[in-house]
mmCIF file of all heavy atoms in Angstrom:
data_model
loop_
_atom_site.group_PDB
_atom_site.id
_atom_site.type_symbol
_atom_site.label_atom_id
_atom_site.label_comp_id
_atom_site.label_asym_id
_atom_site.label_seq_id
_atom_site.Cartn_x
_atom_site.Cartn_y
_atom_site.Cartn_z
ATOM 1 N N PHE Y 646 -5.465 9.382 -6.564
ATOM 2 C CA PHE Y 646 -6.452 8.899 -5.561
ATOM 3 C C PHE Y 646 -5.841 7.821 -4.818
ATOM 4 O O PHE Y 646 -5.848 7.820 -3.500
ATOM 5 C CB PHE Y 646 -7.743 8.439 -6.176
ATOM 6 C CG PHE Y 646 -8.716 7.699 -5.160
ATOM 7 C CD1 PHE Y 646 -9.422 8.493 -4.303
ATOM 8 C CD2 PHE Y 646 -8.789 6.390 -5.224
ATOM 9 C CE1 PHE Y 646 -10.193 7.891 -3.345
ATOM 10 C CE2 PHE Y 646 -9.584 5.694 -4.184
ATOM 11 C CZ PHE Y 646 -10.320 6.488 -3.356
ATOM 12 N N VAL Y 705 -12.649 7.579 -8.648
ATOM 13 C CA VAL Y 705 -12.942 8.943 -8.609
ATOM 14 C C VAL Y 705 -13.358 9.529 -10.055
ATOM 15 O O VAL Y 705 -14.277 10.362 -10.136
ATOM 16 C CB VAL Y 705 -11.842 9.898 -8.051
ATOM 17 C CG1 VAL Y 705 -11.907 9.693 -6.406
ATOM 18 C CG2 VAL Y 705 -10.573 9.563 -8.601
ATOM 19 N N PRO Y 712 -20.024 8.851 -3.440
ATOM 20 C CA PRO Y 712 -19.151 8.670 -2.390
ATOM 21 C C PRO Y 712 -17.795 7.973 -2.721
ATOM 22 O O PRO Y 712 -17.616 7.150 -3.514
ATOM 23 C CB PRO Y 712 -19.929 7.726 -1.423
ATOM 24 C CG PRO Y 712 -20.951 7.030 -2.342
ATOM 25 C CD PRO Y 712 -21.236 8.026 -3.459
ATOM 26 N N CYS Y 713 -16.764 8.575 -2.065
ATOM 27 C CA CYS Y 713 -15.364 7.948 -2.177
ATOM 28 C C CYS Y 713 -15.378 6.448 -1.762
ATOM 29 O O CYS Y 713 -15.994 6.346 -0.633
ATOM 30 C CB CYS Y 713 -14.495 8.865 -1.317
ATOM 31 S SG CYS Y 713 -12.894 8.018 -0.931
ATOM 32 N N PRO Y 714 -14.856 5.629 -2.383
ATOM 33 C CA PRO Y 714 -14.801 4.290 -1.998
ATOM 34 C C PRO Y 714 -14.098 4.012 -0.711
ATOM 35 O O PRO Y 714 -14.198 2.962 -0.085
ATOM 36 C CB PRO Y 714 -14.294 3.487 -3.157
ATOM 37 C CG PRO Y 714 -13.555 4.498 -4.031
ATOM 38 C CD PRO Y 714 -14.206 5.783 -3.790
ATOM 39 N N ARG Y 715 -13.239 5.018 -0.343
ATOM 40 C CA ARG Y 715 -12.338 4.773 0.824
ATOM 41 C C ARG Y 715 -13.032 5.438 2.042
ATOM 42 O O ARG Y 715 -13.032 4.829 3.087
ATOM 43 C CB ARG Y 715 -10.905 5.440 0.575
ATOM 44 C CG ARG Y 715 -9.867 4.917 1.462
ATOM 45 C CD ARG Y 715 -8.529 5.174 0.785
ATOM 46 N NE ARG Y 715 -8.360 6.467 0.078
ATOM 47 C CZ ARG Y 715 -7.584 6.745 -0.926
ATOM 48 N NH1 ARG Y 715 -6.737 5.854 -1.464
ATOM 49 N NH2 ARG Y 715 -7.694 7.899 -1.493
ATOM 50 N N CYS Y 716 -13.490 6.597 1.986
ATOM 51 C CA CYS Y 716 -13.965 7.433 3.160
ATOM 52 C C CYS Y 716 -15.395 7.823 3.081
ATOM 53 O O CYS Y 716 -15.915 8.270 4.162
ATOM 54 C CB CYS Y 716 -12.991 8.562 3.432
ATOM 55 S SG CYS Y 716 -13.326 9.981 2.367
ATOM 56 N N GLY Y 717 -15.938 7.631 1.890
ATOM 57 C CA GLY Y 717 -17.420 7.960 1.832
ATOM 58 C C GLY Y 717 -17.651 9.535 1.477
ATOM 59 O O GLY Y 717 -18.883 9.917 1.154
ATOM 60 N N ALA Y 718 -16.706 10.388 1.553
ATOM 61 C CA ALA Y 718 -16.869 11.796 1.223
ATOM 62 C C ALA Y 718 -17.327 11.985 -0.232
ATOM 63 O O ALA Y 718 -16.873 11.039 -1.020
ATOM 64 C CB ALA Y 718 -15.671 12.516 1.501
ATOM 65 N N VAL Y 720 -17.128 12.791 -3.908
ATOM 66 C CA VAL Y 720 -15.917 13.151 -4.969
ATOM 67 C C VAL Y 720 -16.149 14.501 -5.522
ATOM 68 O O VAL Y 720 -17.265 14.835 -5.875
ATOM 69 C CB VAL Y 720 -15.871 11.912 -6.038
ATOM 70 C CG1 VAL Y 720 -14.951 12.521 -7.179
ATOM 71 C CG2 VAL Y 720 -15.555 10.630 -5.419
ATOM 72 N N PHE Y 732 -11.382 14.126 -7.516
ATOM 73 C CA PHE Y 732 -10.498 13.646 -6.299
ATOM 74 C C PHE Y 732 -11.475 13.652 -5.189
ATOM 75 O O PHE Y 732 -12.584 14.226 -5.140
ATOM 76 C CB PHE Y 732 -9.316 14.639 -6.127
ATOM 77 C CG PHE Y 732 -9.870 16.041 -5.590
ATOM 78 C CD1 PHE Y 732 -9.726 16.303 -4.309
ATOM 79 C CD2 PHE Y 732 -10.211 16.907 -6.566
ATOM 80 C CE1 PHE Y 732 -10.087 17.630 -3.836
ATOM 81 C CE2 PHE Y 732 -10.669 18.158 -6.058
ATOM 82 C CZ PHE Y 732 -10.674 18.556 -4.745
ATOM 83 N N CYS Y 733 -10.975 13.060 -4.071
ATOM 84 C CA CYS Y 733 -11.715 12.923 -2.868
ATOM 85 C C CYS Y 733 -11.146 14.002 -1.836
ATOM 86 O O CYS Y 733 -9.979 13.907 -1.485
ATOM 87 C CB CYS Y 733 -11.591 11.553 -2.212
ATOM 88 S SG CYS Y 733 -12.354 11.539 -0.475
ATOM 89 N N PRO Y 734 -12.054 15.046 -1.448
ATOM 90 C CA PRO Y 734 -11.506 16.047 -0.586
ATOM 91 C C PRO Y 734 -11.241 15.454 0.874
ATOM 92 O O PRO Y 734 -10.482 16.137 1.658
ATOM 93 C CB PRO Y 734 -12.598 17.138 -0.563
ATOM 94 C CG PRO Y 734 -13.820 16.445 -0.967
ATOM 95 C CD PRO Y 734 -13.284 15.256 -1.866
ATOM 96 N N GLY Y 735 -11.792 14.250 1.150
ATOM 97 C CA GLY Y 735 -11.583 13.602 2.455
ATOM 98 C C GLY Y 735 -10.217 13.068 2.606
ATOM 99 O O GLY Y 735 -9.461 13.207 3.552
ATOM 100 N N CYS Y 736 -9.802 12.326 1.556
ATOM 101 C CA CYS Y 736 -8.605 11.511 1.768
ATOM 102 C C CYS Y 736 -7.398 12.014 0.899
ATOM 103 O O CYS Y 736 -6.327 11.430 0.884
ATOM 104 C CB CYS Y 736 -8.754 10.144 1.824
ATOM 105 S SG CYS Y 736 -9.864 9.356 0.566
ATOM 106 N N GLN Y 737 -7.620 12.915 -0.137
ATOM 107 C CA GLN Y 737 -6.482 13.406 -0.849
ATOM 108 C C GLN Y 737 -6.070 14.732 -0.404
ATOM 109 O O GLN Y 737 -6.839 15.648 -0.584
ATOM 110 C CB GLN Y 737 -6.885 13.452 -2.267
ATOM 111 C CG GLN Y 737 -6.901 12.067 -3.018
ATOM 112 C CD GLN Y 737 -7.319 12.073 -4.377
ATOM 113 O OE1 GLN Y 737 -8.556 11.899 -4.627
ATOM 114 N NE2 GLN Y 737 -6.506 12.406 -5.295
HETATM 115 ZN ZN1 ZN R 796 -12.066 9.702 0.427
#
Side-chain angles (χ1 to χ4, degrees):
F646 172 78
V705 285
C713 162
R715 200 159 39 207
C716 75
V720 169
F732 69 101
C733 170
C736 48
Q737 285 175 261

